[in-house]
Amino acid sequence: MKQKILITGTNRGLGLALTRIYLSQGHEVFTINRRQGDVLQSLKNEYTDQLKLYIGDVADEISIENAVRTIEKETDSIDMLINNAAVLFPADNVPIEKVDFSVYGATYDVNAVGPLRVVKYALPLVRKGMGKRIVNISSEAGSVTDSWRKSEYAYCMSKSALNMASSILQNYVKKDEIKVLAVHPGWFSSDMGTSAAPITPDESAVKVVRLLEKTFALDGPMYFDLDGKEMQW
Ligand SMILES: NC(=O)c1ccc[n+]([C@@H]2O[C@H](COP(=O)([O-])OP(=O)(O)OC[C@H]3O[C@@H](n4cnc5c(N)ncnc54)[C@H](OP(=O)(O)O)[C@@H]3O)[C@@H](O)[C@H]2O)c1
């Protein structure tokens, strides 16, 4: 069945790969980006009716409210919201003695609070959707149980916070029969993942799409890797 899918951060990496797959499957894709890249623009030329592009910065509440208000003029429902936009600053990848705390606030603001800014305004649309999914692209970096890094505090802490946000949100939207998921998409090559990663964004996206086709119990697990294995918070 044709779905209406809202995705943030689709200029490149996983967001772009997910957008491509969902468009090729015939779904309608609404994207929110802080700027529109050339690749996205050429995709728009190919999928004129299916792809809808909106400007919004997940760190800026007014811009997200404006983006969603514009989306509401186009549709009265969203079947799945995928909160994908995130940042990882190079300055985060240093030992504690050299940490530059100025990147901490921005990392938290985009990665942990950003998804909630989108949910704040898009929730009424998701409530009216079919399937009713809110997917937060998390990371194994957010797992306290499986923690192994010796740096990247800000990124890891922001993803742990996103996991907590996902859990609280699930408690709240259970009554609306909305399933919230926190998904670790694997380590893939992108500006964030670097060229050292073992898989491409397309390979990650294929598996994420397959995972999201599954049925999930409202009271069941929420945190999964791209192979569908449940992860520990
Ligand atoms: N890459 C990996 O190996 C890996 C592993 C685990 C989890 N993840 C997660 O997977 C997701 C996608 O990662 P990726 O590697 O594809 O990242 P990426 O290549 O760095 O792309 C990030 C996307 O997010 C957008 N974005 C950043 N800040 C934004 C903001 N304030 N408002 C709106 N959009 C914003 C970027 O837009 P601009 O083009 O405007 O900068 C870009 O389109 C992220 O949630 C990441 O944490 C990635």
Side-chain angles (χ1 to χ4, degrees):
M1 201 192 310
K2 201 179 100 174
Q3 288 188 73
K4 293 179 179 178
I5 302 166
L6 171 56
I7 313 178
T8 63
T10 65
N11 272 323
R12 50 198 165 92
L14 181 64
L16 179 61
L18 287 171
T19 301
R20 279 206 178 102
I21 293 177
Y22 283 127
L23 289 172
S24 73
Q25 292 180 340
H27 302 299
E28 220 172 316
V29 182
F30 300 74
T31 69
I32 298 182
N33 286 285
R34 54 188 171 180
R35 58 175 186 89
Q36 250 142 47
D38 294 343
V39 183
L40 208 54
Q41 197 51 57
S42 57
L43 211 51
K44 173 71 181 164
N45 297 338
E46 201 180 329
Y47 293 95
T48 319
D49 297 331
Q50 268 171 266
L51 178 60
K52 327 264 174 180
L53 308 178
Y54 302 89
I55 293 291
D57 181 331
V58 301
D60 174 359
E61 181 168 350
I62 304 265
S63 77
I64 293 302
E65 180 176 12
N66 288 339
V68 176
R69 298 284 176 242
T70 316
I71 291 172
E72 283 169 343
K73 290 180 188 147
E74 195 78 32
T75 181
D76 60 2
S77 66
I78 289 291
D79 303 312
M80 178 156 65
L81 161 61
I82 303 181
N83 282 306
N84 168 76
V87 289
L88 195 176
F89 293 102
D92 195 14
N93 192 8
V94 293
I96 186 67
E97 294 87 346
K98 296 197 160 59
V99 157
D100 170 5
F101 293 109
S102 69
V103 299
Y104 278 49
T107 306
Y108 188 83
D109 204 21
V110 173
N111 298 4
V113 187
L116 289 180
R117 284 194 186 90
V118 181
V119 170
K120 176 173 175 181
Y121 295 98
L123 188 55
L125 291 170
V126 179
R127 281 198 176 108
K128 289 188 229 144
M130 292 176 301
K132 301 187 186 191
R133 287 270 168 85
I134 297 176
V135 180
N136 292 328
I137 300 297
S138 179
S139 171
E140 50 78 31
S143 169
V144 174
T145 306
D146 295 329
S147 162
W148 56 268
R149 285 174 178 73
K150 293 175 180 161
S151 67
E152 298 185 321
Y153 293 86
Y155 181 75
C156 296
M157 289 160 69
S158 74
K159 290 295 186 178
S160 294
L162 176 62
N163 286 349
M164 177 53 95
S166 305
S167 177
I168 296 171
L169 184 62
Q170 180 65 90
N171 296 338
Y172 181 62
V173 298
K174 209 175 285 178
K175 63 180 186 324
D176 302 310
E177 298 188 341
I178 297 173
K179 179 69 185 178
V180 182
L181 293 167
V183 175
H184 165 51
W187 180 27
F188 56 88
S189 51
S190 67
D191 291 340
M192 183 184 294
T194 78
S195 58
I199 61 171
T200 65
D202 289 340
E203 287 167 326
S204 168
V206 164
K207 289 189 166 193
V208 169
V209 167
R210 204 173 295 150
L211 171 73
L212 298 180
E213 283 165 358
K214 292 186 179 168
T215 305
F216 297 93
L218 273 182
D219 284 317
M222 300 175 55
Y223 186 24
F224 293 97
D225 73 8
L226 73 173
D227 293 314
K229 185 169 153 271
E230 186 186 352
M231 300 196 56
Q232 300 304 304
W233 295 117

